């Protein structure tokens, strides 16, 4: 009886271990090591993997963030959702001036290549427009769709 209980406990332990290990199975060690170095205090980390890029979703200082890594462990970009009040003043003013009849449906900040860009999706009843910041001075149309 003790042997069968012990066997079941071992099988259950091995099964649970492989289930949790599977989440990181496709993410290479270089990427994980780089992430741990870059974001040592990150919490609730989950990974997604495509053919060439690994994406970590995590919390840092109570904010959900996304980090994208190349297979060699090189950090490509860090993205976080923001509210309009976190935009640089020039960008916010330009948005209010030129898109007063639109509402913001998505807004995020992207840090990559030692620079920061902002992307905003604004909509009205007829159109959806994705704008990309040009530095901190203005916006350019990244994508425009008719609803």
């Amino acid at each position: 009886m003790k042997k069968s209980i012990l066997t079941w406990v071992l099988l259950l332990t091995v099964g649970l271990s492989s289930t949790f290990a599977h989440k990181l199975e496709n993410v290479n060690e270089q990427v994980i090591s780089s992430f741990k170095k870059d974001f040592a205090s990150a919490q609730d980390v989950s990974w997604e993997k495509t053919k060439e890029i690994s994406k970590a979703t995590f919390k840092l200082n109570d904010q959900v963030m996304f980090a994208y890594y190349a297979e060699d462990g090189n950090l490509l970009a860090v993205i976080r959702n923001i509210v309009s009040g976190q935009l640089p003043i020039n960008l916010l003013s330009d948005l209010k001036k030129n898109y007063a009849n639109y509402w913001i449906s998505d807004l995020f900040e992207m840090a990559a290549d030692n620079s920061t860009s902002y992307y905003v999706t604004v909509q009205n009843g007829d159109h959806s427009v994705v704008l990309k910041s040009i530095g901190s001075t203005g916006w350019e149309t990244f994508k425009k769709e008719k609803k």
Side-chain angles (χ1 to χ4, degrees):
M1 180 72 170
K2 285 184 179 180
K3 279 188 175 182
S4 66
I5 292 174
L6 183 60
T7 302
W8 279 107
V9 169
L10 286 173
L11 285 173
L12 185 60
T13 303
V14 169
L16 288 174
S17 297
S18 65
T19 300
F20 290 113
H22 182 68
K23 289 184 179 179
L24 297 176
E25 186 175 285
N26 294 330
V27 180
N28 88 40
E29 284 300 318
Q30 255 183 313
V31 170
I32 294 170
S33 176
S34 291
F35 176 81
K36 287 179 179 178
K37 187 178 103 186
D38 294 338
F39 303 100
S41 58
Q43 298 174 336
D44 302 329
V45 181
S46 64
W47 290 92
E48 292 177 42
K49 173 101 171 60
T50 64
K51 190 174 183 179
E52 299 170 0
I53 296 174
S54 296
K55 173 187 171 187
T57 302
F58 59 99
K59 278 179 118 176
L60 187 65
N61 300 326
D62 291 324
Q63 178 150 20
V64 176
M65 301 178 84
F66 310 93
Y68 294 84
Y69 285 89
E71 283 302 299
D72 63 359
N74 184 33
L75 179 62
L76 301 173
V78 179
I79 294 176
R80 68 182 180 137
N81 291 319
I82 61 172
V83 295
S84 59
Q86 292 174 295
L87 281 170
I89 296 293
N90 294 339
L91 292 177
L92 183 58
S93 296
D94 191 34
L95 203 56
K96 286 182 177 185
K97 178 178 149 189
N98 295 314
Y99 294 91
N101 296 326
Y102 289 73
W103 64 86
I104 296 173
S105 61
D106 190 25
L107 174 58
F108 64 90
E109 174 184 71
M110 181 175 79
D113 298 327
N114 295 323
S115 67
T116 301
S117 301
Y118 299 90
Y119 290 82
V120 62
T121 303
V122 293
Q123 297 182 5
N124 65 16
D126 300 322
H127 295 94
S128 176
V129 182
V130 178
L131 304 168
K132 177 184 178 187
S133 66
I134 308 167
S136 62
T137 59
W139 299 98
E140 67 182 10
T141 302
F142 185 73
K143 181 179 172 183
K144 188 172 187 177
E145 291 181 349
K146 192 170 187 163
K147 290 185 177 179

